[in-house]
Amino acid sequence: MRFSSRLFIGLFIGILLGVLYGWVIRPVEYIDTAPDSLRADYYNEYVLMVSEAYAADGDLDLARMRLAALGPRPPVNTVVAAIDYGLEHGYSQLDLETLNRLVVDLRAMPPSAEIDTP
């Protein structure tokens, strides 16, 4: 057999065994984790996505509920922390304005309308 034939057969067998091991023998087990356990960059990207969704639909109650899933910190503080993170890590001006709009609207809310963490 030629070297290239043996190489391709070896690669094929290796890929086949890798797929078999990864999909059948030891597949990934997904575990439900809380959103507040996200890494800092994903955490702040989540806050940005919530603010973008709020900018699109204008549903402040839904935005507050989504932010409350991130932990016990008040939603307004969560968004302010995301703005600080965005300033440090070069978020675009549009992203910062979107986050700022959400903060302004959250601060304009009456205090009695605050929600608890689910």
Side-chain angles (χ1 to χ4, degrees):
M1 261 192 174
R2 294 177 40 207
F3 175 75
S4 60
S5 301
R6 287 186 284 175
L7 177 68
F8 287 122
I9 291 172
L11 284 173
F12 178 75
I13 291 172
I15 290 171
L16 185 65
L17 289 174
V19 168
L20 178 70
Y21 182 78
W23 285 357
V24 177
I25 298 171
R26 298 253 344 229
V28 175
E29 294 180 32
Y30 292 102
I31 300 171
D32 292 332
T33 59
D36 63 343
S37 66
L38 292 171
R39 205 171 63 195
D41 54 340
Y42 291 127
Y43 184 92
N44 290 294
E45 285 293 324
Y46 178 84
V47 175
L48 177 60
M49 286 187 282
V50 169
S51 68
E52 289 171 343
Y54 171 68
D57 64 20
D59 190 347
L60 188 58
D61 290 330
L62 181 59
R64 284 186 7 240
M65 286 181 10
R66 289 174 173 161
L67 292 170
L70 290 175
R73 186 163 53 175
V76 70
N77 294 352
T78 302
V79 182
V80 168
I83 291 172
D84 293 339
Y85 180 88
L87 288 170
E88 292 173 9
H89 291 88
Y91 279 23
S92 71
Q93 188 64 31
L94 179 62
D95 289 343
L96 293 171
E97 289 172 2
T98 304
L99 288 165
N100 190 50
R101 178 175 173 225
L102 181 56
V103 167
V104 168
D105 291 348
L106 285 170
R107 285 184 176 158
M109 233 174 37
S112 62
E114 287 292 326
I115 60 170
D116 294 327
T117 304

